[in-house]
Amino acid sequence: MDHEGFIIRPPSEADSILLQVTLGCSHNRCAFCGAYRGKPFRVKEQARVMADIDWAAKKLPRHSRLFLMDGDALVLPMRRLEPILTAIREKLPRVRRVGSYASARSLQTKTDAELARLKELGLDIIYLGLESGDEDVLARMNKGVTVAEQLHQAARARAAGLKLNVTVLLGLAGPEGSEQHAQATGAALSQMDPEQAAALSLMLVPGTPLHDDWEAGRFTQCTAPELLAELGMLVEHTHLSRGLFLCNHGSNHLPFRARFPKDKAAVLQSIEAALAGERELKPEWQRRL
Ligand code: SF4
């Protein structure tokens, strides 16, 4: 496969064919994110993508999942996406699930009929970075979209039959904004009601504006207990009808994977036990992005 630069994919796409259709992120301005700094956004040549699908058909014919990369493949216009999804269906018939990162900005470039067409052609799950349900936090982090826009676009994606994985970021509001961030984010997750919600913990990346703010004393990082307390408030305010709540990212101090609402009380107990020092936390040196 032709992979340019480093590869970023969700943990649950570890066994997927990784098909790179764009490079970098079309936004690339979030204050906390160093994922694609130094990798300018570019659309890959269609012939290169098609050659990769042919390669995968020969070398990875038994794979049942495929993930479209890099940061936001859905910014591609339909005239590029339709042939790619059609070729995946024809040449990789065992692929049952195609996933992609998505953003409110890329979703709004598609009509309702186009979203439904993408689902029909095999796109099954999208990974959306909500980060926070607090409008002020999103604006400070230069996310480029509002909470209201994210809620609207998530609802359109679900109406088209796409599964949603929504990522939120603990610690993004610092200790002083923690409570408001947790409550508003729980409320936004509840409204989106995704199949999967994933909580990550902020890790400052050198070279990002947020790291500069931290160095200049303009941003305070949450401590491990503050992140745990924020996680507890987030869980408390998150009401999913039947979704997975994932906290198993390498950045988290207390990893777990739970089905809500069934496991919610047990998760809250476990967080309380950790806050009381009765459960061991992942040491700082083991945390990673
Ligand atoms: S968080 Fe997502 S949208 Fe923001 S710069 Fe990083 S990859 Fe792009």
Side-chain angles (χ1 to χ4, degrees):
M1 298 287 269
D2 179 58
H3 288 160
E4 289 185 41
F6 46 83
I7 296 308
I8 297 173
R9 50 131 185 94
S12 50
E13 300 288 344
D15 297 326
S16 303
I17 298 169
L18 300 176
L19 181 67
Q20 194 175 40
V21 299
T22 59
L23 294 182
C25 161
S26 61
H27 179 55
N28 213 11
R29 289 195 198 96
C30 295
F32 56 87
C33 176
Y36 300 109
R37 284 179 196 262
K39 193 179 191 185
F41 178 75
R42 179 162 69 75
V43 174
K44 275 184 103 169
E45 304 74 32
Q46 192 80 339
R48 183 68 261 172
V49 176
M50 291 302 180
D52 276 348
I53 295 172
D54 287 339
W55 185 91
K58 284 195 198 104
K59 304 286 186 187
L60 308 168
R62 295 185 182 282
H63 281 53
S64 60
R65 291 181 175 188
L66 182 145
F67 185 69
L68 300 173
M69 304 184 300
D70 275 342
D72 190 2
L74 292 195
V75 291
L76 285 182
M78 289 300 284
R79 68 183 158 75
R80 296 290 300 271
L81 282 171
E82 284 202 67
I84 291 171
L85 290 169
T86 303
I88 292 168
R89 179 160 279 183
E90 285 173 5
K91 296 181 180 183
L92 291 160
R94 292 208 181 197
V95 168
R96 294 270 171 267
R97 186 179 100 160
V98 176
S100 173
Y101 286 122
S103 66
R105 288 162 70 237
S106 61
L107 289 168
Q108 72 192 12
T109 67
K110 308 288 179 287
T111 65
D112 290 347
E114 286 171 340
L115 289 178
R117 177 71 180 141
L118 292 175
K119 166 69 184 167
E120 191 188 347
L121 287 171
L123 182 67
D124 188 54
I125 182 165
I126 56 171
Y127 296 80
L128 189 74
L130 168 67
E131 324 302 0
S132 177
D134 182 332
E135 294 285 13
D136 290 343
V137 174
L138 283 196
R140 275 205 302 280
M141 293 300 140
N142 204 19
K143 184 70 188 167
V145 289
T146 63
V147 176
E149 284 165 340
Q150 300 219 59
L151 290 171
H152 178 58
Q153 297 304 330
R156 289 184 63 234
R158 291 210 73 188
L162 296 169
K163 293 192 188 86
L164 267 185
N165 177 307
V166 181
T167 303
V168 302
L169 204 40
L170 299 168
L172 206 52
E176 63 289 339
S178 180
E179 192 172 341
Q180 165 67 16
H181 170 53
Q183 289 182 6
T185 304
L189 280 179
S190 306
Q191 195 170 330
M192 286 180 170
D193 197 19
E195 277 76 12
Q196 295 176 8
L200 281 64
S201 300
L202 177 69
M203 296 188 75
L204 290 174
V205 180
T208 59
L210 196 59
H211 189 275
D212 293 346
D213 283 350
W214 171 70
E215 279 190 326
R218 294 187 294 267
F219 179 79
T220 309
Q221 257 189 300
C222 288
T223 60
E226 285 167 345
L227 287 171
L228 259 184
E230 186 174 300
L231 176 63
M233 287 186 278
L234 172 68
V235 167
E236 212 176 309
H237 286 86
T238 300
H239 307 284
L240 305 181
S241 59
R242 200 189 165 276
L244 273 179
F245 192 106
L246 306 171
C247 196
N248 53 0
H249 188 262
S251 61
N252 293 325
H253 292 91
L254 184 69
F256 64 85
R257 189 176 191 275
R259 172 75 63 187
F260 278 17
K262 179 170 69 75
D263 304 329
K264 185 166 158 173
V267 165
L268 285 170
Q269 271 178 9
S270 156
I271 294 170
E272 265 176 40
L275 279 168
E278 293 159 13
R279 279 200 58 174
E280 218 173 301
L281 299 182
K282 186 193 287 179
E284 280 303 320
W285 63 268
Q286 275 186 8
R287 292 176 70 216
R288 58 186 166 74
L289 278 174

